[in-house]
């Protein structure tokens, strides 16, 4: 496209090389370093597969992955089920000129600090927090409930975050849907329920899958929410990884666990690649 | 039937809004607590915890660090992203689809793993933990974002203006600085402010890659060890306020883009 002779070949590479170089140097290379590290022994170096075999033989490591997958699956399902009707209401029931405001309000808490967001759920769920005070105060229960430091707390913190994210993606998806599809279905005699089940839902499925995949990736790799809200009653994978670094300085094992975590995400990606590709095209 | 759906919709939407806003309202409300515990009953209003935060040098220096790392890493990310987007949008490069994929790849990897990788690499290379190391990590996560935003806004309509400038004898660097950058300014600012919000809020990379001087989210994390404390509420509310300002700036820059 450039007509300026020699610079036509040099210039484009001069433009893209800094960004490519940064990505290779600080993303690809670290990843390779991590791969090597995962194959060395913590004490004394030397190549070994023991970091990986530990994962499969040590039941507590294995359990962390099971916990992570369970929590992520629950969070993804609950978030989609909560967010879809909400996004639908925003797109269909709220008058057009209020929609932008309604959506902005819905994602406003998104912008509180990540650490603080989890902490503020602690204020709500603690022994003497808002919910327990309200329940004991009104005489519904006599003893405060154990809400914080449980899996329920972790899931609540996660769902809070992902409902906002999914509302955004599903809302965008619903708005992209041409109204003529719905009109056509109505003309052909379908009621609102049938139109929704057979027309709207299938057409928004790719968007839901993209949102669900995003939820999966962000949820399974997150350290803060389970650490603050879940306490140490059950470990999730990111907590296990951080423990190897923080308490034991065991980089090789932490690397191996990170790579296993990434492999799981890759498998999830391949599983929903069909929908993710549609979205990209 | 219609009105039932309407009422049910309203109730449902209210419930979800309630769920979404509950922790934030509690956070801000109890940051105004007059006594030492951020739990009911509410004893405020009082600004004493904001005063306590602003006179805490650890927190204020962490805040300055955060703003510094966020602005410098975002400026770097947006510069690299812009140049790269311009290169890919205007020139035909061999394997450009693959290379664009490489640039956006970090988006699909969790921050924890990016931080881990850098930690291992820096550890081997003997690079000490520092704000600079964390800043490098922030560029890694924000570069793909800046690139994607700017690349998607690089319309064909600018090609003609750029060609006209070249025909009139402008050297390539003048074309970029005087034509492309001003035309792309909204997308560039949008990328910059969005990166700012992500970097400003990023925890795990900073946690892994800094030691003595650190960023605000890490300092807040340290504060959490002392249990529930209205000081944390106050600093959290302040962070929220800064993020909102950045988001509004992001919205304004993108909105201006849409009108033109």
């Amino acid at each position: 496209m450039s007509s300026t002779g020699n610079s036509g070949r040099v210039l484009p590479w001069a433009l893209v090389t800094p960004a490519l170089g940064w990505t290779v140097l600080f993303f690809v290379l670290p990843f390779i370093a991590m791969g090597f590290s995962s194959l060395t022994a913590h004490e004394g170096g030397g190549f070994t597969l023991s970091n990986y075999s530990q994962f499969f033989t040590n039941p507590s490591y294995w359990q962390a992955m099971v916990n992570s997958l369970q929590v992520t699956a629950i969070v993804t399902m609950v978030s989609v089920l909560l967010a879809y009707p909400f996004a639908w209401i925003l797109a269909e029931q709220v008058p057009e000129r209020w929609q932008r405001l309604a959506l902005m309000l819905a994602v406003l808490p998104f912008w509180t600090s990540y650490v603080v967001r989890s902490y503020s759920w602690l204020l709500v769920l603690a022994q003497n927090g808002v919910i327990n005070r309200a329940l004991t105060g009104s005489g519904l229960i006599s003893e405060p409930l154990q809400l914080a430091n449980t899996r329920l707390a972790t899931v609540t913190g996660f769902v809070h975050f992902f409902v906002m994210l999914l509302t955004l993606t599903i809302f965008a998806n619903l708005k992209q849907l041409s109204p003529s599809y719905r009109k056509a279905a109505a003309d052909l005699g379908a009621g609102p329920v049938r139109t929704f089940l057979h027309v709207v839902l299938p057409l928004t499925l790719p968007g839901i899958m993209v949102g669900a995949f995003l939820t999966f990736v962000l949820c399974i790799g997150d350290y803060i929410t389970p650490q603050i809200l879940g306490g140490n009653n059950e470990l999730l994978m990111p907590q296990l990884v951080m423990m190897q670094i923080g308490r034991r300085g065991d980089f090789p094992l932490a690397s191996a666990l990170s790579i296993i975590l990434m492999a799981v995400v890759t498998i999830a990606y391949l599983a929903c690649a069909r929908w993710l590709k549609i979205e990209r095209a | 039937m219609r009105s039932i759906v309407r009422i049910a919709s309203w109730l449902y939407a209210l419930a979800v809004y309630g769920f979404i806003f509950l922790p934030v309202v509690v956070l801000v409300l109890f940051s105004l607590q007059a006594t030492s515990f951020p739990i009911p009953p509410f004893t405020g209003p009082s600004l004493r915890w904001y005063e306590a935060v602003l006179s805490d040098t650890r927190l204020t220096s962490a805040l300055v660090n955060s703003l510094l790392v966020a602005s410098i890493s975002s400026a770097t990310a947006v510069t690299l992203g812009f140049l790269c987007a311009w290169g890919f949008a205007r020139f035909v490069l061999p394997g450009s689809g693959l290379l664009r994929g490489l640039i956006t790849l970090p988006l699909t990897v969790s921050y924890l793993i990016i931080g881990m990788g850098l930690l291992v690499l820096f550890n081997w290379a003997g690079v000490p933990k520092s704000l600079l190391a964390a800043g490098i990590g922030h560029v890694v996560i924000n570069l793909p974002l800046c690139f994607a935003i700017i690349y998607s806004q690089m319309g064909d309509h600018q090609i003609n203006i750029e060609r006209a400038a070249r025909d009139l004898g402008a050297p390539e660097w003048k074309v970029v600085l005087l034509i492309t950058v001003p035309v792309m300014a909204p997308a560039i600012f949008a990328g910059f402010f969005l990166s700012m919000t992500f970097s400003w809020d990023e925890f795990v990379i900073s946690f892994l890659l800094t030691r003595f001087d650190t960023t605000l989210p890490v300092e807040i994390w340290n504060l959490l060890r002392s249990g529930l404390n209205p000081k944390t509420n106050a600093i959290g509310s302040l962070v929220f306020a800064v993020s909102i300002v950045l988001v509004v700036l992001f919205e304004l820059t993108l909105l201006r883009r849409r009108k033109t």
Side-chain angles (χ1 to χ4, degrees), chain B residues 214-232:
Chain B
T214 191
T215 60
L216 196 54
V218 181
E219 213 46 69
I220 293 175
W221 176 267
N222 293 334
L223 205 61
L224 287 184
R225 290 206 193 126
S226 59
L228 300 182
N229 177 347
K231 217 160 121 180
T232 320

Side-chain angles (χ1 to χ4, degrees), chain B residues 25 50 69 98 110 121 136 155 157 166 221 226 230 237 242 250:
Chain B
V25 170
Y50 286 86
V69 170
L98 220 64
S110 79
L121 182 76
I136 288 175
H157 60 279
R166 267 187 215 107
W221 176 267
S226 59
S237 306
V242 172
F250 169 74

Side-chain angles (χ1 to χ4, degrees), chain A residues 215-235:
Chain A
T215 307
F216 183 90
V217 174
L218 293 173
C219 184
I220 206 164
D222 185 68
Y223 168 67
I224 290 183
T225 305
Q227 184 69 18
I228 293 181
L229 288 170
N232 279 319
N233 290 335
E234 58 169 15
L235 282 183

Side-chain angles (χ1 to χ4, degrees), chain A residues 89-102:
Chain A
I89 290 166
L90 292 185
E92 301 286 324
Q93 302 281 312
V94 175
E96 194 92 19
R97 63 200 193 100
W98 296 110
Q99 276 180 6
R100 207 179 156 74
L101 184 70

Side-chain angles (χ1 to χ4, degrees), chain B residues 2-256:
Chain B
R2 257 240 155 99
S3 59
I4 293 175
V5 170
R6 253 201 119 69
I7 291 168
S9 297
W10 275 107
L11 289 176
Y12 187 80
L14 271 178
V16 176
Y17 274 122
F19 172 66
I20 289 175
F21 273 91
L22 177 63
V24 181
V25 170
V26 169
L27 177 79
V28 177
L29 180 70
F30 287 107
S31 73
L32 300 168
Q33 185 83 316
T35 45
S36 302
F37 292 102
I39 46 168
F42 180 61
T43 52
S46 148
L47 286 177
R48 61 180 278 217
W49 299 107
Y50 286 86
E51 280 168 38
V53 162
L54 294 176
S55 59
D56 184 329
T57 47
R58 279 177 70 96
L59 284 176
T60 45
S61 70
L63 190 136
V64 173
N65 287 343
S66 262
L67 285 174
L68 216 62
V69 170
S71 48
I72 295 176
S73 75
S74 301
T76 311
V78 87
T79 310
L80 296 180
F82 168 77
L83 293 176
C84 188
W86 200 61
F88 279 125
R90 290 289 175 270
F91 303 94
V92 184
L93 289 167
S96 72
L98 220 64
L99 294 178
R100 283 204 307 268
L102 177 65
I103 293 277
T104 45
L105 199 60
L107 281 180
T108 57
V109 179
S110 79
Y111 290 0
L112 174 68
I113 291 172
I114 293 177
M116 263 295 305
L118 282 170
L119 181 64
V120 171
L121 182 76
F122 287 165
N123 199 38
W124 276 6
V127 178
K129 293 183 173 190
S130 65
L131 285 173
L132 178 69
I136 288 175
H138 287 188
V139 176
V140 172
I141 57 173
N142 284 325
L143 174 58
L145 211 71
C146 290
F147 169 76
I149 290 176
I150 298 172
Y151 184 74
S152 72
Q153 305 277 324
M154 281 252 176
D156 288 336
H157 60 279
Q158 296 133 17
I159 292 181
N160 288 333
I161 320 177
E162 287 170 11
R163 194 174 292 153
R166 267 187 215 107
D167 287 348
L168 293 168
E172 210 64 37
W173 64 269
K174 266 194 167 174
V175 176
V176 178
L177 278 185
L178 297 179
I179 308 290
T180 315
V181 170
V183 171
M184 294 300 297
I188 292 173
F189 280 123
F192 179 74
F193 290 128
L194 200 62
S195 296
M196 284 277 287
T197 62
F198 282 109
S199 169
W200 159 253
D201 196 21
E202 196 286 323
F203 169 78
V204 89
I205 294 175
S206 305
F207 184 65
L208 287 171
L209 296 178
T210 62
R211 184 163 284 156
F212 303 113
D213 274 335
T214 191
T215 60
L216 196 54
V218 181
E219 213 46 69
I220 293 175
W221 176 267
N222 293 334
L223 205 61
L224 287 184
R225 290 206 193 126
S226 59
L228 300 182
N229 177 347
K231 217 160 121 180
T232 320
N233 290 51
I235 186 75
S237 306
L238 288 174
V239 170
F240 185 39
V242 172
S243 304
I244 294 296
V245 170
L246 289 172
V247 173
V248 169
L249 287 171
F250 169 74
E251 283 280 338
L252 288 178
T253 48
L254 259 197
L255 272 184
R256 218 177 59 194

